[in-house]
Amino acid sequence: MSQLRMLSATEISSERLLLRKTLHDADREGFVELMTDPEVQKYIGGPRPRSEVEQRFDALITANATSSPGNYVIADNTTNQLIGTLMLARRSADNPGHITQDGEELELGYVLRRSAWGAGFAFEAATAALRAAADELPAQPVVLVTQTANTRSLALAARLGFRPISTFEEYGAEQTLCTAPLFMFRNRADT
């Protein structure tokens, strides 16, 4: 595991969302829906069997795995209902797609339940996490990797301020590597 600093916040709030480290029993159905929905999982490996997802949820909640650095539940800040997940962690040097020679750049990833699509939640959650990281961590590049065919994700990356810099093959599909400097998220106004 990387020795580079990570975001330490256990909760991050935004206007409509709460990013929280803790996975709750009440998150089960939302988590299962997120992992089994063919449209949600289309560009990230496809839907998982419900039984496998149930076992993974049980393992995560037992181990409190979302307490590991960089993993957050995206919840509605009024109902606390899970609407997605966000990861702001170090990209393994073993994975392809890096902008530094040593790798382990800070990597942003997110996935939302289909019912939450189109409401600006991914933008809001990513912006909140990146702002928190910019306030806490030293200036550094952040990467975002998405399947090139995932035009919605590429459009969101551009709206966040990420720019594509290369493509590479992984998981049997072309991936686009995008980057943005972390410092640009300090006190950045929503657009």
Side-chain angles (χ1 to χ4, degrees), residues 144-174:
L144 183 151
V145 175
T146 189
Q147 248 190 52
T148 303
N150 190 346
T151 56
R152 289 176 61 128
S153 186
L154 285 171
L156 176 57
R159 185 169 175 230
L160 285 165
F162 285 79
R163 62 180 180 82
I165 58 168
S166 67
T167 59
F168 59 93
E169 193 78 16
E170 188 178 28
Y171 307 117
E174 182 180 84

PDB file of all heavy atoms in Angstrom, residues 144-174:
ATOM      1  N   LEU A 144      -8.123  10.543 -13.624  1.00  0.00           N
ATOM      2  CA  LEU A 144      -9.431   9.938 -13.768  1.00  0.00           C
ATOM      3  C   LEU A 144      -9.330   9.046 -14.992  1.00  0.00           C
ATOM      4  O   LEU A 144      -8.865   9.502 -16.042  1.00  0.00           O
ATOM      5  CB  LEU A 144     -10.477  11.041 -13.958  1.00  0.00           C
ATOM      6  CG  LEU A 144     -11.930  10.629 -14.071  1.00  0.00           C
ATOM      7  CD1 LEU A 144     -12.810  11.761 -13.536  1.00  0.00           C
ATOM      8  CD2 LEU A 144     -12.334  10.262 -15.461  1.00  0.00           C
ATOM      9  N   VAL A 145      -9.717   7.788 -14.850  1.00  0.00           N
ATOM     10  CA  VAL A 145      -9.661   6.836 -15.957  1.00  0.00           C
ATOM     11  C   VAL A 145     -11.080   6.347 -16.223  1.00  0.00           C
ATOM     12  O   VAL A 145     -11.787   5.932 -15.307  1.00  0.00           O
ATOM     13  CB  VAL A 145      -8.740   5.636 -15.618  1.00  0.00           C
ATOM     14  CG1 VAL A 145      -8.778   4.596 -16.736  1.00  0.00           C
ATOM     15  CG2 VAL A 145      -7.317   6.098 -15.352  1.00  0.00           C
ATOM     16  N   THR A 146     -11.482   6.404 -17.483  1.00  0.00           N
ATOM     17  CA  THR A 146     -12.796   5.909 -17.863  1.00  0.00           C
ATOM     18  C   THR A 146     -12.710   5.275 -19.243  1.00  0.00           C
ATOM     19  O   THR A 146     -11.849   5.640 -20.044  1.00  0.00           O
ATOM     20  CB  THR A 146     -13.855   7.028 -17.832  1.00  0.00           C
ATOM     21  OG1 THR A 146     -15.155   6.453 -18.018  1.00  0.00           O
ATOM     22  CG2 THR A 146     -13.603   8.089 -18.889  1.00  0.00           C
ATOM     23  N   GLN A 147     -13.616   4.345 -19.495  1.00  0.00           N
ATOM     24  CA  GLN A 147     -13.663   3.764 -20.835  1.00  0.00           C
ATOM     25  C   GLN A 147     -13.949   4.870 -21.842  1.00  0.00           C
ATOM     26  O   GLN A 147     -14.825   5.716 -21.613  1.00  0.00           O
ATOM     27  CB  GLN A 147     -14.777   2.712 -20.921  1.00  0.00           C
ATOM     28  CG  GLN A 147     -14.262   1.314 -21.089  1.00  0.00           C
ATOM     29  CD  GLN A 147     -15.374   0.339 -21.413  1.00  0.00           C
ATOM     30  OE1 GLN A 147     -16.159   0.559 -22.330  1.00  0.00           O
ATOM     31  NE2 GLN A 147     -15.413  -0.747 -20.666  1.00  0.00           N
ATOM     32  N   THR A 148     -13.218   4.881 -22.924  1.00  0.00           N
ATOM     33  CA  THR A 148     -13.385   5.907 -23.948  1.00  0.00           C
ATOM     34  C   THR A 148     -14.820   5.923 -24.476  1.00  0.00           C
ATOM     35  O   THR A 148     -15.352   6.988 -24.815  1.00  0.00           O
ATOM     36  CB  THR A 148     -12.366   5.680 -25.083  1.00  0.00           C
ATOM     37  OG1 THR A 148     -11.049   5.681 -24.503  1.00  0.00           O
ATOM     38  CG2 THR A 148     -12.449   6.752 -26.138  1.00  0.00           C
ATOM     39  N   ALA A 149     -15.470   4.782 -24.509  1.00  0.00           N
ATOM     40  CA  ALA A 149     -16.854   4.701 -24.987  1.00  0.00           C
ATOM     41  C   ALA A 149     -17.846   5.343 -24.020  1.00  0.00           C
ATOM     42  O   ALA A 149     -18.984   5.631 -24.400  1.00  0.00           O
ATOM     43  CB  ALA A 149     -17.236   3.234 -25.213  1.00  0.00           C
ATOM     44  N   ASN A 150     -17.430   5.610 -22.794  1.00  0.00           N
ATOM     45  CA  ASN A 150     -18.327   6.189 -21.794  1.00  0.00           C
ATOM     46  C   ASN A 150     -18.333   7.715 -21.939  1.00  0.00           C
ATOM     47  O   ASN A 150     -17.708   8.446 -21.177  1.00  0.00           O
ATOM     48  CB  ASN A 150     -17.896   5.768 -20.383  1.00  0.00           C
ATOM     49  CG  ASN A 150     -18.923   6.127 -19.338  1.00  0.00           C
ATOM     50  OD1 ASN A 150     -19.828   6.902 -19.577  1.00  0.00           O
ATOM     51  ND2 ASN A 150     -18.757   5.549 -18.160  1.00  0.00           N
ATOM     52  N   THR A 151     -19.057   8.182 -22.919  1.00  0.00           N
ATOM     53  CA  THR A 151     -19.065   9.613 -23.235  1.00  0.00           C
ATOM     54  C   THR A 151     -19.638  10.462 -22.107  1.00  0.00           C
ATOM     55  O   THR A 151     -19.206  11.605 -21.920  1.00  0.00           O
ATOM     56  CB  THR A 151     -19.834   9.879 -24.543  1.00  0.00           C
ATOM     57  OG1 THR A 151     -21.155   9.346 -24.419  1.00  0.00           O
ATOM     58  CG2 THR A 151     -19.128   9.239 -25.731  1.00  0.00           C
ATOM     59  N   ARG A 152     -20.579   9.933 -21.349  1.00  0.00           N
ATOM     60  CA  ARG A 152     -21.139  10.695 -20.213  1.00  0.00           C
ATOM     61  C   ARG A 152     -20.067  10.942 -19.164  1.00  0.00           C
ATOM     62  O   ARG A 152     -19.964  12.035 -18.612  1.00  0.00           O
ATOM     63  CB  ARG A 152     -22.321   9.953 -19.596  1.00  0.00           C
ATOM     64  CG  ARG A 152     -23.567   9.941 -20.462  1.00  0.00           C
ATOM     65  CD  ARG A 152     -24.666   9.115 -19.827  1.00  0.00           C
ATOM     66  NE  ARG A 152     -25.032   9.687 -18.548  1.00  0.00           N
ATOM     67  CZ  ARG A 152     -26.266   9.992 -18.193  1.00  0.00           C
ATOM     68  NH1 ARG A 152     -27.261   9.773 -19.014  1.00  0.00           N
ATOM     69  NH2 ARG A 152     -26.526  10.501 -17.011  1.00  0.00           N
ATOM     70  N   SER A 153     -19.264   9.940 -18.877  1.00  0.00           N
ATOM     71  CA  SER A 153     -18.204  10.090 -17.892  1.00  0.00           C
ATOM     72  C   SER A 153     -17.123  11.050 -18.390  1.00  0.00           C
ATOM     73  O   SER A 153     -16.595  11.868 -17.626  1.00  0.00           O
ATOM     74  CB  SER A 153     -17.591   8.730 -17.547  1.00  0.00           C
ATOM     75  OG  SER A 153     -16.672   8.866 -16.491  1.00  0.00           O
ATOM     76  N   LEU A 154     -16.800  10.975 -19.671  1.00  0.00           N
ATOM     77  CA  LEU A 154     -15.820  11.902 -20.243  1.00  0.00           C
ATOM     78  C   LEU A 154     -16.336  13.344 -20.204  1.00  0.00           C
ATOM     79  O   LEU A 154     -15.570  14.277 -19.935  1.00  0.00           O
ATOM     80  CB  LEU A 154     -15.458  11.502 -21.671  1.00  0.00           C
ATOM     81  CG  LEU A 154     -14.542  10.283 -21.796  1.00  0.00           C
ATOM     82  CD1 LEU A 154     -14.422   9.848 -23.247  1.00  0.00           C
ATOM     83  CD2 LEU A 154     -13.175  10.568 -21.195  1.00  0.00           C
ATOM     84  N   ALA A 155     -17.617  13.535 -20.442  1.00  0.00           N
ATOM     85  CA  ALA A 155     -18.200  14.881 -20.373  1.00  0.00           C
ATOM     86  C   ALA A 155     -18.153  15.412 -18.936  1.00  0.00           C
ATOM     87  O   ALA A 155     -17.849  16.588 -18.706  1.00  0.00           O
ATOM     88  CB  ALA A 155     -19.632  14.872 -20.893  1.00  0.00           C
ATOM     89  N   LEU A 156     -18.434  14.552 -17.966  1.00  0.00           N
ATOM     90  CA  LEU A 156     -18.352  14.964 -16.570  1.00  0.00           C
ATOM     91  C   LEU A 156     -16.908  15.294 -16.189  1.00  0.00           C
ATOM     92  O   LEU A 156     -16.651  16.294 -15.517  1.00  0.00           O
ATOM     93  CB  LEU A 156     -18.906  13.879 -15.640  1.00  0.00           C
ATOM     94  CG  LEU A 156     -18.790  14.171 -14.150  1.00  0.00           C
ATOM     95  CD1 LEU A 156     -19.469  15.486 -13.775  1.00  0.00           C
ATOM     96  CD2 LEU A 156     -19.370  13.023 -13.349  1.00  0.00           C
ATOM     97  N   ALA A 157     -15.973  14.493 -16.647  1.00  0.00           N
ATOM     98  CA  ALA A 157     -14.557  14.761 -16.371  1.00  0.00           C
ATOM     99  C   ALA A 157     -14.181  16.146 -16.903  1.00  0.00           C
ATOM    100  O   ALA A 157     -13.524  16.934 -16.209  1.00  0.00           O
ATOM    101  CB  ALA A 157     -13.674  13.681 -16.992  1.00  0.00           C
ATOM    102  N   ALA A 158     -14.615  16.463 -18.118  1.00  0.00           N
ATOM    103  CA  ALA A 158     -14.318  17.776 -18.700  1.00  0.00           C
ATOM    104  C   ALA A 158     -14.978  18.886 -17.896  1.00  0.00           C
ATOM    105  O   ALA A 158     -14.362  19.927 -17.633  1.00  0.00           O
ATOM    106  CB  ALA A 158     -14.785  17.820 -20.154  1.00  0.00           C
ATOM    107  N   ARG A 159     -16.203  18.677 -17.464  1.00  0.00           N
ATOM    108  CA  ARG A 159     -16.907  19.689 -16.659  1.00  0.00           C
ATOM    109  C   ARG A 159     -16.189  19.925 -15.334  1.00  0.00           C
ATOM    110  O   ARG A 159     -16.153  21.052 -14.837  1.00  0.00           O
ATOM    111  CB  ARG A 159     -18.350  19.246 -16.419  1.00  0.00           C
ATOM    112  CG  ARG A 159     -19.171  20.278 -15.699  1.00  0.00           C
ATOM    113  CD  ARG A 159     -20.649  19.941 -15.694  1.00  0.00           C
ATOM    114  NE  ARG A 159     -21.342  20.919 -14.871  1.00  0.00           N
ATOM    115  CZ  ARG A 159     -22.186  20.613 -13.925  1.00  0.00           C
ATOM    116  NH1 ARG A 159     -22.514  19.354 -13.684  1.00  0.00           N
ATOM    117  NH2 ARG A 159     -22.766  21.561 -13.213  1.00  0.00           N
ATOM    118  N   LEU A 160     -15.597  18.879 -14.780  1.00  0.00           N
ATOM    119  CA  LEU A 160     -14.828  19.008 -13.534  1.00  0.00           C
ATOM    120  C   LEU A 160     -13.491  19.721 -13.753  1.00  0.00           C
ATOM    121  O   LEU A 160     -12.873  20.176 -12.805  1.00  0.00           O
ATOM    122  CB  LEU A 160     -14.575  17.623 -12.924  1.00  0.00           C
ATOM    123  CG  LEU A 160     -15.764  16.959 -12.250  1.00  0.00           C
ATOM    124  CD1 LEU A 160     -15.493  15.473 -12.032  1.00  0.00           C
ATOM    125  CD2 LEU A 160     -16.107  17.653 -10.936  1.00  0.00           C
ATOM    126  N   GLY A 161     -13.047  19.774 -15.002  1.00  0.00           N
ATOM    127  CA  GLY A 161     -11.776  20.421 -15.304  1.00  0.00           C
ATOM    128  C   GLY A 161     -10.656  19.468 -15.666  1.00  0.00           C
ATOM    129  O   GLY A 161      -9.504  19.877 -15.821  1.00  0.00           O
ATOM    130  N   PHE A 162     -10.965  18.193 -15.828  1.00  0.00           N
ATOM    131  CA  PHE A 162      -9.971  17.209 -16.234  1.00  0.00           C
ATOM    132  C   PHE A 162      -9.805  17.284 -17.746  1.00  0.00           C
ATOM    133  O   PHE A 162     -10.759  17.523 -18.471  1.00  0.00           O
ATOM    134  CB  PHE A 162     -10.398  15.794 -15.843  1.00  0.00           C
ATOM    135  CG  PHE A 162     -10.253  15.500 -14.382  1.00  0.00           C
ATOM    136  CD1 PHE A 162     -11.203  15.963 -13.467  1.00  0.00           C
ATOM    137  CD2 PHE A 162      -9.181  14.772 -13.909  1.00  0.00           C
ATOM    138  CE1 PHE A 162     -11.067  15.695 -12.117  1.00  0.00           C
ATOM    139  CE2 PHE A 162      -9.039  14.506 -12.564  1.00  0.00           C
ATOM    140  CZ  PHE A 162      -9.983  14.973 -11.660  1.00  0.00           C
ATOM    141  N   ARG A 163      -8.594  17.035 -18.216  1.00  0.00           N
ATOM    142  CA  ARG A 163      -8.367  17.008 -19.657  1.00  0.00           C
ATOM    143  C   ARG A 163      -7.782  15.651 -20.040  1.00  0.00           C
ATOM    144  O   ARG A 163      -6.924  15.112 -19.333  1.00  0.00           O
ATOM    145  CB  ARG A 163      -7.475  18.154 -20.105  1.00  0.00           C
ATOM    146  CG  ARG A 163      -6.108  18.149 -19.536  1.00  0.00           C
ATOM    147  CD  ARG A 163      -5.279  19.340 -20.034  1.00  0.00           C
ATOM    148  NE  ARG A 163      -3.947  19.295 -19.455  1.00  0.00           N
ATOM    149  CZ  ARG A 163      -2.939  18.568 -19.893  1.00  0.00           C
ATOM    150  NH1 ARG A 163      -3.089  17.780 -20.930  1.00  0.00           N
ATOM    151  NH2 ARG A 163      -1.765  18.594 -19.294  1.00  0.00           N
ATOM    152  N   PRO A 164      -8.236  15.087 -21.152  1.00  0.00           N
ATOM    153  CA  PRO A 164      -7.693  13.797 -21.596  1.00  0.00           C
ATOM    154  C   PRO A 164      -6.258  13.982 -22.092  1.00  0.00           C
ATOM    155  O   PRO A 164      -5.958  14.965 -22.765  1.00  0.00           O
ATOM    156  CB  PRO A 164      -8.618  13.380 -22.735  1.00  0.00           C
ATOM    157  CG  PRO A 164      -9.292  14.626 -23.179  1.00  0.00           C
ATOM    158  CD  PRO A 164      -9.281  15.586 -22.023  1.00  0.00           C
ATOM    159  N   ILE A 165      -5.392  13.027 -21.724  1.00  0.00           N
ATOM    160  CA  ILE A 165      -4.003  13.128 -22.172  1.00  0.00           C
ATOM    161  C   ILE A 165      -3.512  11.892 -22.905  1.00  0.00           C
ATOM    162  O   ILE A 165      -2.527  11.970 -23.623  1.00  0.00           O
ATOM    163  CB  ILE A 165      -3.040  13.466 -21.008  1.00  0.00           C
ATOM    164  CG1 ILE A 165      -3.125  12.416 -19.912  1.00  0.00           C
ATOM    165  CG2 ILE A 165      -3.322  14.856 -20.478  1.00  0.00           C
ATOM    166  CD1 ILE A 165      -2.005  12.527 -18.898  1.00  0.00           C
ATOM    167  N   SER A 166      -4.173  10.750 -22.719  1.00  0.00           N
ATOM    168  CA  SER A 166      -3.759   9.546 -23.443  1.00  0.00           C
ATOM    169  C   SER A 166      -4.840   8.487 -23.351  1.00  0.00           C
ATOM    170  O   SER A 166      -5.797   8.618 -22.590  1.00  0.00           O
ATOM    171  CB  SER A 166      -2.430   8.997 -22.901  1.00  0.00           C
ATOM    172  OG  SER A 166      -2.598   8.525 -21.580  1.00  0.00           O
ATOM    173  N   THR A 167      -4.656   7.444 -24.152  1.00  0.00           N
ATOM    174  CA  THR A 167      -5.524   6.274 -24.071  1.00  0.00           C
ATOM    175  C   THR A 167      -4.638   5.042 -23.929  1.00  0.00           C
ATOM    176  O   THR A 167      -3.457   5.066 -24.280  1.00  0.00           O
ATOM    177  CB  THR A 167      -6.416   6.119 -25.328  1.00  0.00           C
ATOM    178  OG1 THR A 167      -5.584   6.005 -26.475  1.00  0.00           O
ATOM    179  CG2 THR A 167      -7.370   7.292 -25.480  1.00  0.00           C
ATOM    180  N   PHE A 168      -5.223   3.992 -23.398  1.00  0.00           N
ATOM    181  CA  PHE A 168      -4.530   2.719 -23.260  1.00  0.00           C
ATOM    182  C   PHE A 168      -5.575   1.617 -23.171  1.00  0.00           C
ATOM    183  O   PHE A 168      -6.753   1.875 -22.964  1.00  0.00           O
ATOM    184  CB  PHE A 168      -3.609   2.708 -22.023  1.00  0.00           C
ATOM    185  CG  PHE A 168      -4.331   2.949 -20.720  1.00  0.00           C
ATOM    186  CD1 PHE A 168      -4.802   1.898 -19.945  1.00  0.00           C
ATOM    187  CD2 PHE A 168      -4.532   4.245 -20.258  1.00  0.00           C
ATOM    188  CE1 PHE A 168      -5.469   2.121 -18.756  1.00  0.00           C
ATOM    189  CE2 PHE A 168      -5.191   4.485 -19.064  1.00  0.00           C
ATOM    190  CZ  PHE A 168      -5.655   3.417 -18.312  1.00  0.00           C
ATOM    191  N   GLU A 169      -5.127   0.397 -23.352  1.00  0.00           N
ATOM    192  CA  GLU A 169      -6.010  -0.766 -23.330  1.00  0.00           C
ATOM    193  C   GLU A 169      -5.991  -1.398 -21.941  1.00  0.00           C
ATOM    194  O   GLU A 169      -4.927  -1.638 -21.363  1.00  0.00           O
ATOM    195  CB  GLU A 169      -5.527  -1.780 -24.371  1.00  0.00           C
ATOM    196  CG  GLU A 169      -6.503  -2.880 -24.677  1.00  0.00           C
ATOM    197  CD  GLU A 169      -7.627  -2.440 -25.611  1.00  0.00           C
ATOM    198  OE1 GLU A 169      -7.522  -1.394 -26.267  1.00  0.00           O
ATOM    199  OE2 GLU A 169      -8.617  -3.184 -25.675  1.00  0.00           O
ATOM    200  N   GLU A 170      -7.167  -1.610 -21.364  1.00  0.00           N
ATOM    201  CA  GLU A 170      -7.296  -2.314 -20.089  1.00  0.00           C
ATOM    202  C   GLU A 170      -8.696  -2.906 -20.017  1.00  0.00           C
ATOM    203  O   GLU A 170      -9.654  -2.309 -20.511  1.00  0.00           O
ATOM    204  CB  GLU A 170      -7.066  -1.350 -18.915  1.00  0.00           C
ATOM    205  CG  GLU A 170      -6.999  -2.053 -17.567  1.00  0.00           C
ATOM    206  CD  GLU A 170      -6.732  -1.098 -16.410  1.00  0.00           C
ATOM    207  OE1 GLU A 170      -7.090   0.094 -16.492  1.00  0.00           O
ATOM    208  OE2 GLU A 170      -6.168  -1.561 -15.415  1.00  0.00           O
ATOM    209  N   TYR A 171      -8.827  -4.066 -19.431  1.00  0.00           N
ATOM    210  CA  TYR A 171     -10.114  -4.757 -19.309  1.00  0.00           C
ATOM    211  C   TYR A 171     -10.771  -4.983 -20.663  1.00  0.00           C
ATOM    212  O   TYR A 171     -11.993  -4.935 -20.791  1.00  0.00           O
ATOM    213  CB  TYR A 171     -11.071  -3.998 -18.374  1.00  0.00           C
ATOM    214  CG  TYR A 171     -10.494  -3.691 -17.025  1.00  0.00           C
ATOM    215  CD1 TYR A 171     -10.313  -2.378 -16.616  1.00  0.00           C
ATOM    216  CD2 TYR A 171     -10.109  -4.709 -16.160  1.00  0.00           C
ATOM    217  CE1 TYR A 171      -9.782  -2.076 -15.380  1.00  0.00           C
ATOM    218  CE2 TYR A 171      -9.566  -4.423 -14.922  1.00  0.00           C
ATOM    219  CZ  TYR A 171      -9.407  -3.111 -14.534  1.00  0.00           C
ATOM    220  OH  TYR A 171      -8.880  -2.814 -13.302  1.00  0.00           O
ATOM    221  N   GLY A 172      -9.962  -5.166 -21.704  1.00  0.00           N
ATOM    222  CA  GLY A 172     -10.492  -5.462 -23.018  1.00  0.00           C
ATOM    223  C   GLY A 172     -11.135  -4.280 -23.723  1.00  0.00           C
ATOM    224  O   GLY A 172     -11.892  -4.465 -24.672  1.00  0.00           O
ATOM    225  N   ALA A 173     -10.850  -3.064 -23.261  1.00  0.00           N
ATOM    226  CA  ALA A 173     -11.447  -1.882 -23.888  1.00  0.00           C
ATOM    227  C   ALA A 173     -10.477  -0.707 -23.802  1.00  0.00           C
ATOM    228  O   ALA A 173      -9.612  -0.666 -22.930  1.00  0.00           O
ATOM    229  CB  ALA A 173     -12.759  -1.523 -23.200  1.00  0.00           C
ATOM    230  N   GLU A 174     -10.654   0.246 -24.709  1.00  0.00           N
ATOM    231  CA  GLU A 174      -9.822   1.448 -24.666  1.00  0.00           C
ATOM    232  C   GLU A 174     -10.253   2.322 -23.490  1.00  0.00           C
ATOM    233  O   GLU A 174     -11.444   2.593 -23.304  1.00  0.00           O
ATOM    234  CB  GLU A 174      -9.952   2.227 -25.964  1.00  0.00           C
ATOM    235  CG  GLU A 174      -9.066   3.473 -25.996  1.00  0.00           C
ATOM    236  CD  GLU A 174      -9.189   4.258 -27.269  1.00  0.00           C
ATOM    237  OE1 GLU A 174     -10.130   5.080 -27.354  1.00  0.00           O
ATOM    238  OE2 GLU A 174      -8.361   4.029 -28.172  1.00  0.00           O
TER     239      GLU A 174
END
